[in-house]
Amino acid sequence: WAACQPLVQTHLASLAQHYHATAQKEKRPEDYREAVRWYRELLNSFPFDAKVVQNNFLLAELLFEQGQFADAVVEYEKVAYSYPKTPNAVEAGYAALLGHAQLQKAADGLDLARLRRAAVNSASRFAQTFPADPRSGIVLTDAAEQLYALNDADQANRVALQILDLKPPATDAQRRVAWGIVANTAFKRGAYSLSEQAYSKVLQLTPQQDPGYKDLYESQVVSIYKQGEQAKTDGHLKEAAEHFTRVSKMATQPAMRANAQFDAAAALVGNKQWAEAETMLVDFRQRYPQHALQPDITPKLALAYSEQSKWALAATEMERLSAISKDPAIARDAMLQAATFHEKAGSRAASTKAYERYLAQTLVLKPVPLLQVIEVRARLLNLAKQDGNAKRELALQKDIYDTDRNG
């Protein structure tokens, strides 16, 4: 047998080549079948022959020509990945991808999803095995897009990272797709810092006149907003305020800018950054005078002023709160606080007026809270004494006596 092997091998090769050539010329199915038969016989009988890779590649080519794409893919991938690297390996690997594409054309439903995943795996294998091939970028880009379309975000992200790591680098268009997938998948899993950075990369690769540029920009801004919300939830108010402030400057939509500025101000108040909060709140009031959140500015600004001992300004805000509040109890308490702030500011006239307004709001209650009335009249009495107004001082003493006696 050993002596006959070379002759048998020569005859098998001749038969395979003969039927291969005839099939290519005549296009008869029976010639294709015979050629395939003799190539397989040759490969099975002489698996260690020096020409085994070349013959296996010819078998794959023959199967592809015949439209047997599933079998062709198997043989191409064997040539590409099962043998030591040969000149045919990279072409076989790419031809396998073409075979996968042909298989998908006639498939649908679950079968199509299965074939797409097989194609993606083959594409990833091609890029890993032949990273320097100029087609690796487009192969991986197509794979990443298919995975993303299949809602396989994790795998799509991994393939996208492969694209970004290619040497030599992928084209700008391919890197744009890759960064887009990284950005979208990061956003969906709540990794908003990464999604912001990734959207920034996409925007650098996208012309401003591109129809999708605006949506990409808005996605980046929303990523920043989400970072602010996360920081706020985690109690990192300074960081939250910084993120919200960035959004208030970057957002193209007025509603988002306003909401972000309000959230930044609220975070600054919560973090007791009183001067910064004051600046932000005053600017909001001036910039968005008709905004629905205007009533919420007043108590926050009053607090910021009072914490900085800006008593007169704090008093003005409390008077504003008293005027706009629909809750009578809040209106009364705000007026009482305004009177106290005016008193601390050394404005006895303004303080007196505020105390009197508080009394007017309180005396109509049923029953009248006598202790509060007496306490406020005592404060008015002290103010009258400081003003040297003996007549008013006497009248207030009488009011206090009558209230106490009649209570």
Side-chain angles (χ1 to χ4, degrees):
W1 168 243
C4 295
Q5 279 187 332
L7 184 60
V8 172
Q9 182 177 356
T10 299
H11 282 302
L12 288 175
S14 296
L15 285 167
Q17 292 164 11
H18 166 75
Y19 282 108
H20 193 162
T22 303
Q24 288 181 320
K25 181 180 180 180
E26 304 295 339
K27 306 298 182 184
R28 290 194 300 260
E30 57 269 25
D31 292 325
Y32 278 109
R33 285 195 297 270
E34 284 299 306
V36 169
R37 172 192 171 193
W38 293 116
Y39 272 127
R40 291 196 185 281
E41 188 67 35
L42 178 62
L43 291 170
N44 291 333
S45 300
F46 302 97
F48 304 109
D49 182 68
K51 294 184 177 180
V52 66
V53 178
Q54 179 182 349
N55 289 328
N56 207 153
F57 184 77
L58 290 172
L59 171 60
E61 294 275 82
L62 182 65
L63 290 166
F64 193 95
E65 290 171 23
Q66 195 181 3
Q68 297 184 34
F69 300 117
D71 290 339
V73 164
V74 172
E75 299 304 328
Y76 278 133
E77 290 184 342
K78 190 184 298 181
V79 174
Y81 311 118
S82 297
Y83 299 111
K85 283 187 179 179
T86 67
N88 285 332
V90 63
E91 292 307 319
Y94 190 75
L97 299 177
L98 299 179
H100 281 294
Q102 290 294 332
L103 287 170
Q104 292 175 58
K105 288 182 179 180
D108 56 16
L110 293 176
D111 193 42
L112 178 58
R114 177 185 61 79
L115 290 172
R116 280 180 174 171
R117 291 189 182 280
V120 165
N121 291 336
S122 186
S124 181
R125 196 175 185 186
F126 178 88
Q128 289 175 344
T129 308
F130 311 109
D133 189 277
R135 293 166 294 189
S136 289
I138 193 168
V139 165
L140 285 176
T141 302
D142 181 66
E145 288 182 312
Q146 289 203 47
L147 283 165
Y148 193 77
L150 290 168
N151 295 317
D152 191 344
D154 290 341
Q155 184 66 10
N157 187 68
R158 282 191 285 270
V159 175
L161 293 175
Q162 279 185 264
I163 297 169
L164 297 172
D165 202 39
L166 283 175
K167 298 290 184 298
T171 66
D172 284 355
Q174 292 160 2
R175 289 168 55 238
R176 175 183 169 183
V177 171
W179 278 119
I181 290 173
V182 171
N184 290 338
T185 54
F187 188 92
K188 287 180 179 178
R189 68 173 184 269
Y192 299 118
S193 177
L194 175 58
S195 68
E196 178 201 347
Q197 297 171 43
Y199 281 125
S200 177
K201 295 290 187 181
V202 181
L203 288 165
Q204 291 173 22
L205 296 166
T206 305
Q208 288 193 15
Q209 63 271 24
D210 188 284
Y213 188 92
K214 181 179 178 182
D215 288 341
L216 289 168
Y217 182 81
E218 291 299 333
S219 294
Q220 181 189 30
V221 174
V222 173
S223 294
I224 300 171
Y225 210 126
K226 290 291 187 180
Q227 289 177 71
E229 291 178 335
Q230 283 184 336
K232 178 182 174 182
T233 299
D234 294 340
H236 303 148
L237 296 179
K238 184 176 186 295
E239 181 184 342
E242 290 169 354
H243 289 309
F244 290 138
T245 300
R246 284 200 293 151
V247 174
S248 72
K249 297 176 180 178
M250 291 176 61
T252 59
Q253 299 175 14
M256 180 177 282
R257 287 201 305 270
N259 288 336
Q261 183 167 342
F262 181 86
D263 289 342
L268 290 168
V269 169
N271 202 45
K272 299 182 179 181
Q273 294 174 251
W274 305 118
E276 295 89 340
E278 175 192 338
T279 301
M280 189 74 72
L281 291 164
V282 170
D283 183 78
F284 184 96
R285 174 176 283 168
Q286 295 170 348
R287 192 181 298 271
Y288 307 107
Q290 305 302 319
H291 199 281
L293 289 172
Q294 278 292 340
D296 295 322
I297 293 295
T298 302
K300 289 179 171 55
L301 194 51
L303 178 60
Y305 284 142
S306 65
E307 291 292 336
Q308 298 175 86
S309 299
K310 296 181 177 182
W311 304 118
L313 292 172
T316 299
E317 292 303 319
M318 295 310 293
E319 287 177 332
R320 182 195 297 263
L321 178 59
S322 179
I324 66 175
S325 179
K326 295 180 181 180
D327 185 328
I330 293 177
R332 288 193 303 275
D333 290 344
M335 186 56 65
L336 180 60
Q337 190 67 64
T340 303
F341 287 156
H342 278 307
E343 194 171 355
K344 288 183 176 182
S347 179
R348 292 196 296 273
S351 180
T352 296
K353 183 177 180 181
Y355 279 132
E356 288 174 344
R357 290 173 65 186
Y358 171 78
L359 275 179
Q361 294 170 333
T362 304
L363 289 171
V364 298
L365 296 177
K366 302 296 183 183
V368 175
L370 297 178
L371 180 60
Q372 295 175 25
V373 170
I374 291 172
E375 288 178 352
V376 169
R377 281 178 171 158
R379 293 186 187 183
L380 285 168
L381 175 63
N382 185 54
L383 290 170
K385 186 179 295 186
Q386 293 178 44
D387 287 336
N389 190 339
K391 182 178 179 181
R392 177 161 175 75
E393 187 179 348
L394 181 61
L396 285 166
Q397 288 175 337
K398 183 177 183 301
D399 286 341
I400 292 171
Y401 173 75
D402 289 341
T403 300
D404 182 58
R405 185 183 63 180
N406 297 329

